[in-house]
Amino acid sequence: MTVTANATWPANMTVTANATRPANMTIPTSPIVAANATVTANATRPANATTAAHPLNTDSTVETLQTPLSRAACGTTELCVAEPSSCDPSTSSCFFLSAMLISGNKFAFGLSGESDGYIAATLSPDATLGGNDPTYVCANNRGAVKFVSTFLNNGHLTVTVLNVSSVKGKVDGRNIQCTFATTVPTPAARASNSVLAVSTGHFNSTSGTLGRPTPRIQSSVVDLANPKVTVINNVALNTTSHAMTFHQSLTQVVLITVGVLRLATF
């Protein structure tokens, strides 16, 4: 039997154990193995045979979130960041993000916040957000959660396919909550190189367009796998700092004005 170059092995072809090739049989230089071909024990695959790449394990189907998110597991099995820091998303409306290690570099996340459009969680491998960082969006789609995986780049969200599963969500008024599992991509899989961020933005339920994100939470570099880490929201910290600076400046202006008025009375 002669097999010509670039021939395709039949889908139901079975190669038995220790099979011997006939002396005059020609094996193609680049054989293609059909998806359902059966190769039994001890059969040898040609050195240059190719196999199909495994697709991403992606399922963005949203199931209903039956149990509201809470901070009960924060500090024990979940790493949490919130604004305000003491808020419990099960009893109040606030921005909240939790991360729990499942195995390897796979994590389960919980996201909660108030928005008329969407809330989003971003994972960054460095302290600078916006360099094609994976961002997971939970949008209010006419009272139901629509889940969208995106990349954040230079302040804009671009829809893409990310490895996501176990998506659940619920909308209550302006409050959006969702949970999902994802494989954190390298090098963000290294806990010492991970930043957590939460943002909100406008969502057009007709066109599916995502507006520019507004930051609500941004952590420093944190260890995602260590639930005992205390996470500081740098967005709130910077806002408070700017408010104090403005208050101090205003106070100085008032004091100078009062001094000038007193001098003018003499």
Side-chain angles (χ1 to χ4, degrees), residues 43-124:
T44 304
R45 187 185 68 176
N48 60 345
T50 58
T51 55
H54 295 290
L56 287 173
N57 178 23
T58 301
D59 184 2
S60 58
T61 303
V62 181
E63 298 181 3
T64 302
L65 181 65
Q66 301 292 346
T67 304
L69 295 178
S70 77
R71 61 178 304 109
C74 293
T76 54
T77 60
E78 294 180 357
L79 171 71
C80 300
V81 59
E83 181 56 42
S85 59
S86 61
C87 94
D88 187 338
S90 66
T91 58
S92 60
S93 296
C94 57
F95 296 106
F96 177 87
L97 179 62
S98 64
M100 182 179 69
L101 176 64
I102 298 175
S103 64
N105 60 340
K106 186 174 183 179
F107 287 80
F109 291 91
L111 177 63
S112 180
E114 271 200 349
S115 175
D116 291 320
Y118 70 79
I119 57 174
T122 300
L123 308 179
S124 177

Side-chain angles (χ1 to χ4, degrees), residues 206-253:
T206 301
S207 64
T209 303
L210 298 169
R212 190 180 182 93
T214 299
R216 303 298 182 181
I217 294 176
Q218 181 178 338
S219 75
S220 300
V221 177
V222 295
D223 184 346
L224 290 182
N226 184 0
K228 298 185 182 300
V229 172
T230 300
V231 186
I232 304 299
N233 178 15
N234 294 325
V235 173
L237 188 64
N238 292 337
T239 301
T240 302
S241 176
H242 293 160
M244 290 179 62
T245 301
F246 174 76
H247 176 73
Q248 291 170 350
S249 299
L250 182 61
T251 301
Q252 291 172 350
V253 170

